[in-house]
Amino acid sequence: MRPGWAVGTDRWGTSGGYTEVMQSAEPASQGPANRESPEADRHAISSDPLDPAAVAASVSSDAKGALTTFIGLVRDHNAGQRVRWIDYEAHEPLARRVFARIGREARDRWPDADLAIHHRTGRVAIGEASVVIAAASAHRANAFAACRFAIERVKQIAPVWKHEHFDGGAVWIEGATADPDDEAALRTAMERACS
Amino acid sequence: MLVTVRLFARLRELAGRAEIPQVLPENATVRQAWDAVVHECPSLAAYGSSLAAAINADYARFTSPLKDGDEVAFLPPVSGG
């Protein structure tokens, strides 16, 4: 974790093989202009360490009264095994397009919500962030909902794979067959976001 | 026509390579590209019912037609996050 980005006090659960942290954040102080960020800043995937403050800043603006971030971390255990690290593989150009699509889907449901999604590839150590999502909206309800929706959709349709290394071996984690047009999956993500 | 098949994650490991060029008939579909790859790498066959596909970095159907020079990617079930 980068210095200055405190994580841990708001930890509230785990699911799907990694630790979740969700917290509201004060918008970074960026001066008065706070112009709309280029879309490219909002949809990123690379082997570079993730910068939650930068992801949050990419959706912050004067019209947004609420900004939530979700940080997925590599957890030290899964399915009864001690995890040593995770190698992430992705179809990177497709992943960036999928992140943009998730942003459009969120805006269809929460018109004032802006989303940013950054994912990491390559080797990610225990405790490091594998994904950072930021959602900004005029009010907190939509920011929380859009953020939760986004991580559910990432898990459904982002072309990213975990190769989990544990003591004595490694295994590819395989979840959902990605189908962006699957309406039932979209509904499930919406329901989780609004529950 | 010549297309480039890209394989990811466990598919890539099973095949032993990330890219497999394939010569296919004109207007061949994504399904035909998959069948050609399985013919070359039979260990991939078990994935046939749980795959997604993309043409030139856009999700595509197995019935979608390919054209010369396309890159067609086959994606096992995903696990991002």
Side-chain angles (χ1 to χ4, degrees), chain A residues 88-89 97 119 130 157-158 160-162 172-179 181, chain B residues 8-10 12-13 47 50-52 56-59 61 76-81:
Chain A
Y88 282 85
E89 180 169 332
R97 285 182 176 171
H119 208 296
S130 54
I157 63 172
V160 180
W161 298 272
K162 289 184 179 86
W172 288 100
I173 308 294
E174 294 182 342
T177 298
D179 180 358
D181 298 323
Chain B
F8 288 87
R10 186 143 184 269
R12 174 180 55 70
E13 280 198 348
Y47 273 91
S50 57
L51 275 184
N56 303 330
D58 256 326
Y59 276 120
R61 297 277 160 204
V78 298
S79 57

PDB file of all heavy atoms in Angstrom, chain A residues 88-89 97 119 130 157-158 160-162 172-179 181, chain B residues 8-10 12-13 47 50-52 56-59 61 76-81:
ATOM      1  N   TYR A  88      -1.421 -12.414 -12.023  1.00  0.00           N
ATOM      2  CA  TYR A  88      -2.616 -12.060 -12.793  1.00  0.00           C
ATOM      3  C   TYR A  88      -2.269 -11.972 -14.270  1.00  0.00           C
ATOM      4  O   TYR A  88      -1.261 -11.364 -14.643  1.00  0.00           O
ATOM      5  CB  TYR A  88      -3.174 -10.703 -12.345  1.00  0.00           C
ATOM      6  CG  TYR A  88      -3.961 -10.750 -11.061  1.00  0.00           C
ATOM      7  CD1 TYR A  88      -3.320 -10.678  -9.828  1.00  0.00           C
ATOM      8  CD2 TYR A  88      -5.341 -10.857 -11.071  1.00  0.00           C
ATOM      9  CE1 TYR A  88      -4.033 -10.711  -8.647  1.00  0.00           C
ATOM     10  CE2 TYR A  88      -6.072 -10.890  -9.886  1.00  0.00           C
ATOM     11  CZ  TYR A  88      -5.415 -10.822  -8.684  1.00  0.00           C
ATOM     12  OH  TYR A  88      -6.124 -10.865  -7.519  1.00  0.00           O
ATOM     13  N   GLU A  89      -3.117 -12.591 -15.089  1.00  0.00           N
ATOM     14  CA  GLU A  89      -2.976 -12.505 -16.543  1.00  0.00           C
ATOM     15  C   GLU A  89      -4.239 -11.839 -17.085  1.00  0.00           C
ATOM     16  O   GLU A  89      -5.322 -12.004 -16.504  1.00  0.00           O
ATOM     17  CB  GLU A  89      -2.819 -13.916 -17.115  1.00  0.00           C
ATOM     18  CG  GLU A  89      -2.655 -13.957 -18.629  1.00  0.00           C
ATOM     19  CD  GLU A  89      -2.245 -15.352 -19.113  1.00  0.00           C
ATOM     20  OE1 GLU A  89      -1.590 -16.105 -18.356  1.00  0.00           O
ATOM     21  OE2 GLU A  89      -2.588 -15.688 -20.272  1.00  0.00           O
ATOM     22  N   ARG A  97     -11.612  -2.085 -22.622  1.00  0.00           N
ATOM     23  CA  ARG A  97     -12.937  -1.866 -23.209  1.00  0.00           C
ATOM     24  C   ARG A  97     -14.039  -2.343 -22.272  1.00  0.00           C
ATOM     25  O   ARG A  97     -15.104  -1.731 -22.181  1.00  0.00           O
ATOM     26  CB  ARG A  97     -13.050  -2.596 -24.543  1.00  0.00           C
ATOM     27  CG  ARG A  97     -12.301  -1.889 -25.642  1.00  0.00           C
ATOM     28  CD  ARG A  97     -12.464  -2.616 -26.958  1.00  0.00           C
ATOM     29  NE  ARG A  97     -11.824  -1.868 -28.034  1.00  0.00           N
ATOM     30  CZ  ARG A  97     -11.648  -2.339 -29.258  1.00  0.00           C
ATOM     31  NH1 ARG A  97     -12.075  -3.554 -29.566  1.00  0.00           N
ATOM     32  NH2 ARG A  97     -11.067  -1.609 -30.177  1.00  0.00           N
ATOM     33  N   HIS A 119      -6.909  -2.240 -12.861  1.00  0.00           N
ATOM     34  CA  HIS A 119      -6.581  -3.609 -12.465  1.00  0.00           C
ATOM     35  C   HIS A 119      -5.093  -3.841 -12.670  1.00  0.00           C
ATOM     36  O   HIS A 119      -4.486  -3.257 -13.557  1.00  0.00           O
ATOM     37  CB  HIS A 119      -7.385  -4.615 -13.291  1.00  0.00           C
ATOM     38  CG  HIS A 119      -7.644  -5.908 -12.593  1.00  0.00           C
ATOM     39  ND1 HIS A 119      -6.629  -6.768 -12.225  1.00  0.00           N
ATOM     40  CD2 HIS A 119      -8.799  -6.487 -12.190  1.00  0.00           C
ATOM     41  CE1 HIS A 119      -7.169  -7.833 -11.622  1.00  0.00           C
ATOM     42  NE2 HIS A 119      -8.478  -7.690 -11.591  1.00  0.00           N
ATOM     43  N   SER A 130      -4.918  -5.620  -6.025  1.00  0.00           N
ATOM     44  CA  SER A 130      -5.035  -6.184  -7.366  1.00  0.00           C
ATOM     45  C   SER A 130      -6.017  -5.392  -8.218  1.00  0.00           C
ATOM     46  O   SER A 130      -5.938  -5.408  -9.442  1.00  0.00           O
ATOM     47  CB  SER A 130      -5.500  -7.638  -7.294  1.00  0.00           C
ATOM     48  OG  SER A 130      -6.698  -7.733  -6.540  1.00  0.00           O
ATOM     49  N   ILE A 157     -17.244 -10.321 -16.085  1.00  0.00           N
ATOM     50  CA  ILE A 157     -16.926 -10.159 -17.518  1.00  0.00           C
ATOM     51  C   ILE A 157     -15.531  -9.609 -17.835  1.00  0.00           C
ATOM     52  O   ILE A 157     -15.186  -9.495 -19.008  1.00  0.00           O
ATOM     53  CB  ILE A 157     -17.990  -9.273 -18.240  1.00  0.00           C
ATOM     54  CG1 ILE A 157     -18.019  -7.855 -17.686  1.00  0.00           C
ATOM     55  CG2 ILE A 157     -19.361  -9.939 -18.187  1.00  0.00           C
ATOM     56  CD1 ILE A 157     -18.921  -6.904 -18.492  1.00  0.00           C
ATOM     57  N   ALA A 158     -14.720  -9.248 -16.838  1.00  0.00           N
ATOM     58  CA  ALA A 158     -13.378  -8.741 -17.170  1.00  0.00           C
ATOM     59  C   ALA A 158     -12.468  -9.914 -17.555  1.00  0.00           C
ATOM     60  O   ALA A 158     -12.401 -10.908 -16.829  1.00  0.00           O
ATOM     61  CB  ALA A 158     -12.789  -7.979 -15.995  1.00  0.00           C
ATOM     62  N   VAL A 160      -9.678 -11.369 -17.112  1.00  0.00           N
ATOM     63  CA  VAL A 160      -8.541 -11.391 -16.183  1.00  0.00           C
ATOM     64  C   VAL A 160      -8.573 -12.733 -15.454  1.00  0.00           C
ATOM     65  O   VAL A 160      -9.656 -13.234 -15.138  1.00  0.00           O
ATOM     66  CB  VAL A 160      -8.655 -10.242 -15.157  1.00  0.00           C
ATOM     67  CG1 VAL A 160      -7.477 -10.262 -14.186  1.00  0.00           C
ATOM     68  CG2 VAL A 160      -8.742  -8.883 -15.853  1.00  0.00           C
ATOM     69  N   TRP A 161      -7.368 -13.274 -15.215  1.00  0.00           N
ATOM     70  CA  TRP A 161      -7.282 -14.591 -14.568  1.00  0.00           C
ATOM     71  C   TRP A 161      -6.267 -14.568 -13.443  1.00  0.00           C
ATOM     72  O   TRP A 161      -5.167 -14.031 -13.591  1.00  0.00           O
ATOM     73  CB  TRP A 161      -6.874 -15.661 -15.586  1.00  0.00           C
ATOM     74  CG  TRP A 161      -7.886 -15.790 -16.669  1.00  0.00           C
ATOM     75  CD1 TRP A 161      -8.987 -16.596 -16.670  1.00  0.00           C
ATOM     76  CD2 TRP A 161      -7.916 -15.058 -17.908  1.00  0.00           C
ATOM     77  NE1 TRP A 161      -9.698 -16.414 -17.830  1.00  0.00           N
ATOM     78  CE2 TRP A 161      -9.070 -15.483 -18.604  1.00  0.00           C
ATOM     79  CE3 TRP A 161      -7.099 -14.095 -18.481  1.00  0.00           C
ATOM     80  CZ2 TRP A 161      -9.409 -14.967 -19.846  1.00  0.00           C
ATOM     81  CZ3 TRP A 161      -7.437 -13.580 -19.713  1.00  0.00           C
ATOM     82  CH2 TRP A 161      -8.582 -14.020 -20.392  1.00  0.00           C
ATOM     83  N   LYS A 162      -6.641 -15.229 -12.344  1.00  0.00           N
ATOM     84  CA  LYS A 162      -5.735 -15.405 -11.204  1.00  0.00           C
ATOM     85  C   LYS A 162      -5.012 -16.746 -11.337  1.00  0.00           C
ATOM     86  O   LYS A 162      -5.661 -17.787 -11.497  1.00  0.00           O
ATOM     87  CB  LYS A 162      -6.528 -15.477  -9.894  1.00  0.00           C
ATOM     88  CG  LYS A 162      -7.158 -14.213  -9.395  1.00  0.00           C
ATOM     89  CD  LYS A 162      -7.809 -14.502  -8.034  1.00  0.00           C
ATOM     90  CE  LYS A 162      -8.459 -13.272  -7.431  1.00  0.00           C
ATOM     91  NZ  LYS A 162      -9.845 -13.075  -7.912  1.00  0.00           N
ATOM     92  N   TRP A 172      -4.942 -22.305 -11.522  1.00  0.00           N
ATOM     93  CA  TRP A 172      -5.709 -21.249 -12.182  1.00  0.00           C
ATOM     94  C   TRP A 172      -7.090 -21.190 -11.552  1.00  0.00           C
ATOM     95  O   TRP A 172      -7.770 -22.208 -11.449  1.00  0.00           O
ATOM     96  CB  TRP A 172      -5.844 -21.526 -13.679  1.00  0.00           C
ATOM     97  CG  TRP A 172      -4.567 -21.331 -14.423  1.00  0.00           C
ATOM     98  CD1 TRP A 172      -3.696 -22.291 -14.835  1.00  0.00           C
ATOM     99  CD2 TRP A 172      -4.010 -20.081 -14.841  1.00  0.00           C
ATOM    100  NE1 TRP A 172      -2.624 -21.717 -15.475  1.00  0.00           N
ATOM    101  CE2 TRP A 172      -2.786 -20.364 -15.495  1.00  0.00           C
ATOM    102  CE3 TRP A 172      -4.411 -18.742 -14.713  1.00  0.00           C
ATOM    103  CZ2 TRP A 172      -1.971 -19.357 -16.029  1.00  0.00           C
ATOM    104  CZ3 TRP A 172      -3.594 -17.748 -15.253  1.00  0.00           C
ATOM    105  CH2 TRP A 172      -2.402 -18.058 -15.886  1.00  0.00           C
ATOM    106  N   ILE A 173      -7.492 -20.013 -11.150  1.00  0.00           N
ATOM    107  CA  ILE A 173      -8.840 -19.829 -10.619  1.00  0.00           C
ATOM    108  C   ILE A 173      -9.764 -19.534 -11.802  1.00  0.00           C
ATOM    109  O   ILE A 173      -9.453 -18.672 -12.633  1.00  0.00           O
ATOM    110  CB  ILE A 173      -8.886 -18.664  -9.609  1.00  0.00           C
ATOM    111  CG1 ILE A 173      -7.802 -18.830  -8.539  1.00  0.00           C
ATOM    112  CG2 ILE A 173     -10.274 -18.554  -8.984  1.00  0.00           C
ATOM    113  CD1 ILE A 173      -7.983 -20.018  -7.637  1.00  0.00           C
ATOM    114  N   GLU A 174     -10.856 -20.267 -11.884  1.00  0.00           N
ATOM    115  CA  GLU A 174     -11.794 -20.057 -12.992  1.00  0.00           C
ATOM    116  C   GLU A 174     -13.190 -19.850 -12.423  1.00  0.00           C
ATOM    117  O   GLU A 174     -13.700 -20.696 -11.686  1.00  0.00           O
ATOM    118  CB  GLU A 174     -11.740 -21.243 -13.965  1.00  0.00           C
ATOM    119  CG  GLU A 174     -10.372 -21.319 -14.653  1.00  0.00           C
ATOM    120  CD  GLU A 174     -10.269 -22.434 -15.669  1.00  0.00           C
ATOM    121  OE1 GLU A 174     -11.087 -23.354 -15.636  1.00  0.00           O
ATOM    122  OE2 GLU A 174      -9.351 -22.355 -16.517  1.00  0.00           O
ATOM    123  N   GLY A 175     -13.778 -18.722 -12.726  1.00  0.00           N
ATOM    124  CA  GLY A 175     -15.090 -18.375 -12.189  1.00  0.00           C
ATOM    125  C   GLY A 175     -16.157 -18.456 -13.258  1.00  0.00           C
ATOM    126  O   GLY A 175     -16.553 -19.542 -13.685  1.00  0.00           O
ATOM    127  N   ALA A 176     -16.596 -17.290 -13.709  1.00  0.00           N
ATOM    128  CA  ALA A 176     -17.704 -17.218 -14.653  1.00  0.00           C
ATOM    129  C   ALA A 176     -17.198 -17.235 -16.092  1.00  0.00           C
ATOM    130  O   ALA A 176     -16.143 -16.678 -16.401  1.00  0.00           O
ATOM    131  CB  ALA A 176     -18.484 -15.937 -14.421  1.00  0.00           C
ATOM    132  N   THR A 177     -17.958 -17.870 -16.980  1.00  0.00           N
ATOM    133  CA  THR A 177     -17.714 -17.707 -18.414  1.00  0.00           C
ATOM    134  C   THR A 177     -18.208 -16.317 -18.798  1.00  0.00           C
ATOM    135  O   THR A 177     -19.381 -16.001 -18.612  1.00  0.00           O
ATOM    136  CB  THR A 177     -18.460 -18.785 -19.225  1.00  0.00           C
ATOM    137  OG1 THR A 177     -17.954 -20.069 -18.844  1.00  0.00           O
ATOM    138  CG2 THR A 177     -18.251 -18.587 -20.715  1.00  0.00           C
ATOM    139  N   ALA A 178     -17.300 -15.497 -19.297  1.00  0.00           N
ATOM    140  CA  ALA A 178     -17.646 -14.094 -19.549  1.00  0.00           C
ATOM    141  C   ALA A 178     -18.648 -13.967 -20.696  1.00  0.00           C
ATOM    142  O   ALA A 178     -18.402 -14.469 -21.793  1.00  0.00           O
ATOM    143  CB  ALA A 178     -16.384 -13.308 -19.874  1.00  0.00           C
ATOM    144  N   ASP A 179     -19.779 -13.333 -20.418  1.00  0.00           N
ATOM    145  CA  ASP A 179     -20.759 -13.039 -21.464  1.00  0.00           C
ATOM    146  C   ASP A 179     -21.380 -11.682 -21.152  1.00  0.00           C
ATOM    147  O   ASP A 179     -22.292 -11.590 -20.340  1.00  0.00           O
ATOM    148  CB  ASP A 179     -21.835 -14.125 -21.518  1.00  0.00           C
ATOM    149  CG  ASP A 179     -22.870 -13.842 -22.599  1.00  0.00           C
ATOM    150  OD1 ASP A 179     -22.777 -12.783 -23.271  1.00  0.00           O
ATOM    151  OD2 ASP A 179     -23.775 -14.676 -22.776  1.00  0.00           O
ATOM    152  N   ASP A 181     -23.384  -9.899 -22.639  1.00  0.00           N
ATOM    153  CA  ASP A 181     -24.796  -9.725 -23.000  1.00  0.00           C
ATOM    154  C   ASP A 181     -25.732 -10.593 -22.165  1.00  0.00           C
ATOM    155  O   ASP A 181     -26.933 -10.642 -22.439  1.00  0.00           O
ATOM    156  CB  ASP A 181     -24.993 -10.043 -24.488  1.00  0.00           C
ATOM    157  CG  ASP A 181     -24.191  -9.095 -25.359  1.00  0.00           C
ATOM    158  OD1 ASP A 181     -24.090  -7.911 -24.991  1.00  0.00           O
ATOM    159  OD2 ASP A 181     -23.656  -9.542 -26.390  1.00  0.00           O
TER     160      ASP A 181
ATOM    161  N   PHE B   8      -5.334 -17.724 -23.537  1.00  0.00           N
ATOM    162  CA  PHE B   8      -5.015 -17.092 -22.258  1.00  0.00           C
ATOM    163  C   PHE B   8      -5.092 -18.107 -21.120  1.00  0.00           C
ATOM    164  O   PHE B   8      -5.825 -19.099 -21.184  1.00  0.00           O
ATOM    165  CB  PHE B   8      -5.987 -15.943 -21.987  1.00  0.00           C
ATOM    166  CG  PHE B   8      -5.726 -14.756 -22.867  1.00  0.00           C
ATOM    167  CD1 PHE B   8      -6.305 -14.674 -24.126  1.00  0.00           C
ATOM    168  CD2 PHE B   8      -4.871 -13.737 -22.471  1.00  0.00           C
ATOM    169  CE1 PHE B   8      -6.048 -13.599 -24.960  1.00  0.00           C
ATOM    170  CE2 PHE B   8      -4.599 -12.663 -23.302  1.00  0.00           C
ATOM    171  CZ  PHE B   8      -5.201 -12.587 -24.547  1.00  0.00           C
ATOM    172  N   ALA B   9      -4.340 -17.786 -20.056  1.00  0.00           N
ATOM    173  CA  ALA B   9      -4.406 -18.485 -18.776  1.00  0.00           C
ATOM    174  C   ALA B   9      -4.217 -19.991 -18.985  1.00  0.00           C
ATOM    175  O   ALA B   9      -3.246 -20.409 -19.607  1.00  0.00           O
ATOM    176  CB  ALA B   9      -5.715 -18.139 -18.060  1.00  0.00           C
ATOM    177  N   ARG B  10      -5.149 -20.801 -18.471  1.00  0.00           N
ATOM    178  CA  ARG B  10      -4.916 -22.249 -18.538  1.00  0.00           C
ATOM    179  C   ARG B  10      -4.940 -22.765 -19.969  1.00  0.00           C
ATOM    180  O   ARG B  10      -4.244 -23.743 -20.293  1.00  0.00           O
ATOM    181  CB  ARG B  10      -5.970 -22.969 -17.687  1.00  0.00           C
ATOM    182  CG  ARG B  10      -5.699 -24.445 -17.589  1.00  0.00           C
ATOM    183  CD  ARG B  10      -6.016 -25.045 -16.248  1.00  0.00           C
ATOM    184  NE  ARG B  10      -5.637 -26.463 -16.237  1.00  0.00           N
ATOM    185  CZ  ARG B  10      -6.479 -27.455 -16.581  1.00  0.00           C
ATOM    186  NH1 ARG B  10      -7.721 -27.176 -16.912  1.00  0.00           N
ATOM    187  NH2 ARG B  10      -6.066 -28.702 -16.585  1.00  0.00           N
ATOM    188  N   ARG B  12      -3.643 -21.278 -22.497  1.00  0.00           N
ATOM    189  CA  ARG B  12      -2.283 -21.020 -22.978  1.00  0.00           C
ATOM    190  C   ARG B  12      -1.322 -22.078 -22.452  1.00  0.00           C
ATOM    191  O   ARG B  12      -0.481 -22.609 -23.188  1.00  0.00           O
ATOM    192  CB  ARG B  12      -1.854 -19.623 -22.528  1.00  0.00           C
ATOM    193  CG  ARG B  12      -0.420 -19.271 -22.842  1.00  0.00           C
ATOM    194  CD  ARG B  12      -0.062 -17.864 -22.376  1.00  0.00           C
ATOM    195  NE  ARG B  12      -0.318 -17.636 -20.965  1.00  0.00           N
ATOM    196  CZ  ARG B  12       0.371 -18.182 -19.963  1.00  0.00           C
ATOM    197  NH1 ARG B  12       1.392 -18.970 -20.222  1.00  0.00           N
ATOM    198  NH2 ARG B  12       0.050 -17.946 -18.706  1.00  0.00           N
ATOM    199  N   GLU B  13      -1.475 -22.412 -21.171  1.00  0.00           N
ATOM    200  CA  GLU B  13      -0.592 -23.428 -20.593  1.00  0.00           C
ATOM    201  C   GLU B  13      -0.809 -24.800 -21.232  1.00  0.00           C
ATOM    202  O   GLU B  13       0.148 -25.510 -21.526  1.00  0.00           O
ATOM    203  CB  GLU B  13      -0.826 -23.521 -19.084  1.00  0.00           C
ATOM    204  CG  GLU B  13      -0.121 -22.427 -18.323  1.00  0.00           C
ATOM    205  CD  GLU B  13       0.023 -22.755 -16.847  1.00  0.00           C
ATOM    206  OE1 GLU B  13      -0.603 -23.718 -16.352  1.00  0.00           O
ATOM    207  OE2 GLU B  13       0.760 -22.012 -16.183  1.00  0.00           O
ATOM    208  N   TYR B  47     -12.653 -27.470 -22.779  1.00  0.00           N
ATOM    209  CA  TYR B  47     -13.091 -26.098 -22.524  1.00  0.00           C
ATOM    210  C   TYR B  47     -14.196 -25.634 -23.474  1.00  0.00           C
ATOM    211  O   TYR B  47     -14.724 -24.536 -23.323  1.00  0.00           O
ATOM    212  CB  TYR B  47     -11.904 -25.139 -22.624  1.00  0.00           C
ATOM    213  CG  TYR B  47     -11.165 -25.003 -21.310  1.00  0.00           C
ATOM    214  CD1 TYR B  47     -10.101 -25.830 -21.008  1.00  0.00           C
ATOM    215  CD2 TYR B  47     -11.553 -24.057 -20.370  1.00  0.00           C
ATOM    216  CE1 TYR B  47      -9.432 -25.727 -19.808  1.00  0.00           C
ATOM    217  CE2 TYR B  47     -10.887 -23.945 -19.166  1.00  0.00           C
ATOM    218  CZ  TYR B  47      -9.824 -24.777 -18.888  1.00  0.00           C
ATOM    219  OH  TYR B  47      -9.180 -24.669 -17.691  1.00  0.00           O
ATOM    220  N   SER B  50     -17.315 -23.884 -22.036  1.00  0.00           N
ATOM    221  CA  SER B  50     -17.227 -22.815 -21.026  1.00  0.00           C
ATOM    222  C   SER B  50     -16.309 -21.689 -21.478  1.00  0.00           C
ATOM    223  O   SER B  50     -15.621 -21.068 -20.682  1.00  0.00           O
ATOM    224  CB  SER B  50     -16.720 -23.393 -19.703  1.00  0.00           C
ATOM    225  OG  SER B  50     -15.480 -24.028 -19.875  1.00  0.00           O
ATOM    226  N   LEU B  51     -16.312 -21.421 -22.780  1.00  0.00           N
ATOM    227  CA  LEU B  51     -15.399 -20.450 -23.349  1.00  0.00           C
ATOM    228  C   LEU B  51     -16.095 -19.144 -23.686  1.00  0.00           C
ATOM    229  O   LEU B  51     -17.284 -19.135 -24.001  1.00  0.00           O
ATOM    230  CB  LEU B  51     -14.884 -20.960 -24.692  1.00  0.00           C
ATOM    231  CG  LEU B  51     -13.695 -21.878 -24.763  1.00  0.00           C
ATOM    232  CD1 LEU B  51     -13.389 -22.095 -26.239  1.00  0.00           C
ATOM    233  CD2 LEU B  51     -12.518 -21.270 -24.053  1.00  0.00           C
ATOM    234  N   ALA B  52     -15.329 -18.071 -23.668  1.00  0.00           N
ATOM    235  CA  ALA B  52     -15.740 -16.837 -24.327  1.00  0.00           C
ATOM    236  C   ALA B  52     -14.732 -16.558 -25.435  1.00  0.00           C
ATOM    237  O   ALA B  52     -13.629 -17.093 -25.428  1.00  0.00           O
ATOM    238  CB  ALA B  52     -15.784 -15.683 -23.342  1.00  0.00           C
ATOM    239  N   ASN B  56     -10.379  -9.215 -32.335  1.00  0.00           N
ATOM    240  CA  ASN B  56      -9.711  -7.910 -32.311  1.00  0.00           C
ATOM    241  C   ASN B  56     -10.097  -7.118 -31.057  1.00  0.00           C
ATOM    242  O   ASN B  56     -10.458  -5.944 -31.112  1.00  0.00           O
ATOM    243  CB  ASN B  56     -10.013  -7.112 -33.580  1.00  0.00           C
ATOM    244  CG  ASN B  56      -9.607  -7.860 -34.826  1.00  0.00           C
ATOM    245  OD1 ASN B  56      -8.659  -8.642 -34.801  1.00  0.00           O
ATOM    246  ND2 ASN B  56     -10.333  -7.661 -35.915  1.00  0.00           N
ATOM    247  N   ALA B  57     -10.033  -7.782 -29.908  1.00  0.00           N
ATOM    248  CA  ALA B  57     -10.274  -7.157 -28.596  1.00  0.00           C
ATOM    249  C   ALA B  57     -11.690  -6.636 -28.417  1.00  0.00           C
ATOM    250  O   ALA B  57     -11.916  -5.625 -27.753  1.00  0.00           O
ATOM    251  CB  ALA B  57      -9.252  -6.055 -28.322  1.00  0.00           C
ATOM    252  N   ASP B  58     -12.656  -7.331 -29.012  1.00  0.00           N
ATOM    253  CA  ASP B  58     -14.076  -7.095 -28.716  1.00  0.00           C
ATOM    254  C   ASP B  58     -14.735  -8.456 -28.547  1.00  0.00           C
ATOM    255  O   ASP B  58     -14.521  -9.348 -29.374  1.00  0.00           O
ATOM    256  CB  ASP B  58     -14.773  -6.359 -29.864  1.00  0.00           C
ATOM    257  CG  ASP B  58     -15.007  -4.905 -29.551  1.00  0.00           C
ATOM    258  OD1 ASP B  58     -15.247  -4.586 -28.362  1.00  0.00           O
ATOM    259  OD2 ASP B  58     -14.946  -4.097 -30.493  1.00  0.00           O
ATOM    260  N   TYR B  59     -15.550  -8.590 -27.501  1.00  0.00           N
ATOM    261  CA  TYR B  59     -16.242  -9.867 -27.323  1.00  0.00           C
ATOM    262  C   TYR B  59     -17.036 -10.213 -28.580  1.00  0.00           C
ATOM    263  O   TYR B  59     -17.617  -9.339 -29.227  1.00  0.00           O
ATOM    264  CB  TYR B  59     -17.188  -9.801 -26.129  1.00  0.00           C
ATOM    265  CG  TYR B  59     -16.511 -10.069 -24.805  1.00  0.00           C
ATOM    266  CD1 TYR B  59     -16.507  -9.119 -23.797  1.00  0.00           C
ATOM    267  CD2 TYR B  59     -15.882 -11.286 -24.563  1.00  0.00           C
ATOM    268  CE1 TYR B  59     -15.893  -9.363 -22.573  1.00  0.00           C
ATOM    269  CE2 TYR B  59     -15.264 -11.544 -23.353  1.00  0.00           C
ATOM    270  CZ  TYR B  59     -15.268 -10.586 -22.358  1.00  0.00           C
ATOM    271  OH  TYR B  59     -14.661 -10.835 -21.167  1.00  0.00           O
ATOM    272  N   ARG B  61     -19.382 -13.569 -30.737  1.00  0.00           N
ATOM    273  CA  ARG B  61     -20.104 -14.842 -30.661  1.00  0.00           C
ATOM    274  C   ARG B  61     -19.347 -15.913 -31.440  1.00  0.00           C
ATOM    275  O   ARG B  61     -18.568 -15.590 -32.346  1.00  0.00           O
ATOM    276  CB  ARG B  61     -21.502 -14.678 -31.269  1.00  0.00           C
ATOM    277  CG  ARG B  61     -22.368 -13.693 -30.541  1.00  0.00           C
ATOM    278  CD  ARG B  61     -23.022 -14.361 -29.346  1.00  0.00           C
ATOM    279  NE  ARG B  61     -23.460 -13.363 -28.377  1.00  0.00           N
ATOM    280  CZ  ARG B  61     -23.641 -13.610 -27.080  1.00  0.00           C
ATOM    281  NH1 ARG B  61     -23.408 -14.814 -26.597  1.00  0.00           N
ATOM    282  NH2 ARG B  61     -24.044 -12.673 -26.262  1.00  0.00           N
ATOM    283  N   PRO B  76     -10.827 -18.643 -21.155  1.00  0.00           N
ATOM    284  CA  PRO B  76     -11.455 -19.552 -20.185  1.00  0.00           C
ATOM    285  C   PRO B  76     -12.253 -18.729 -19.169  1.00  0.00           C
ATOM    286  O   PRO B  76     -12.185 -17.500 -19.176  1.00  0.00           O
ATOM    287  CB  PRO B  76     -10.252 -20.238 -19.533  1.00  0.00           C
ATOM    288  CG  PRO B  76      -9.130 -19.268 -19.670  1.00  0.00           C
ATOM    289  CD  PRO B  76      -9.374 -18.524 -20.966  1.00  0.00           C
ATOM    290  N   PRO B  77     -13.027 -19.397 -18.305  1.00  0.00           N
ATOM    291  CA  PRO B  77     -13.799 -18.641 -17.302  1.00  0.00           C
ATOM    292  C   PRO B  77     -12.898 -17.681 -16.515  1.00  0.00           C
ATOM    293  O   PRO B  77     -11.777 -18.037 -16.156  1.00  0.00           O
ATOM    294  CB  PRO B  77     -14.369 -19.748 -16.405  1.00  0.00           C
ATOM    295  CG  PRO B  77     -14.508 -20.924 -17.321  1.00  0.00           C
ATOM    296  CD  PRO B  77     -13.304 -20.844 -18.231  1.00  0.00           C
ATOM    297  N   VAL B  78     -13.404 -16.494 -16.281  1.00  0.00           N
ATOM    298  CA  VAL B  78     -12.567 -15.403 -15.764  1.00  0.00           C
ATOM    299  C   VAL B  78     -12.552 -15.398 -14.235  1.00  0.00           C
ATOM    300  O   VAL B  78     -13.444 -15.934 -13.576  1.00  0.00           O
ATOM    301  CB  VAL B  78     -13.043 -14.048 -16.307  1.00  0.00           C
ATOM    302  CG1 VAL B  78     -12.923 -14.015 -17.831  1.00  0.00           C
ATOM    303  CG2 VAL B  78     -14.479 -13.745 -15.867  1.00  0.00           C
ATOM    304  N   SER B  79     -11.528 -14.735 -13.689  1.00  0.00           N
ATOM    305  CA  SER B  79     -11.392 -14.676 -12.219  1.00  0.00           C
ATOM    306  C   SER B  79     -10.671 -13.404 -11.785  1.00  0.00           C
ATOM    307  O   SER B  79      -9.783 -13.438 -10.937  1.00  0.00           O
ATOM    308  CB  SER B  79     -10.655 -15.912 -11.713  1.00  0.00           C
ATOM    309  OG  SER B  79      -9.386 -16.032 -12.341  1.00  0.00           O
ATOM    310  N   GLY B  80     -11.065 -12.288 -12.377  1.00  0.00           N
ATOM    311  CA  GLY B  80     -10.449 -11.021 -11.985  1.00  0.00           C
ATOM    312  C   GLY B  80     -10.943 -10.547 -10.633  1.00  0.00           C
ATOM    313  O   GLY B  80     -11.791 -11.162 -10.003  1.00  0.00           O
ATOM    314  N   GLY B  81     -10.380  -9.431 -10.216  1.00  0.00           N
ATOM    315  CA  GLY B  81     -10.784  -8.828  -8.948  1.00  0.00           C
ATOM    316  C   GLY B  81      -9.688  -8.962  -7.909  1.00  0.00           C
ATOM    317  O   GLY B  81      -8.648  -9.545  -8.161  1.00  0.00           O
TER     318      GLY B  81
END
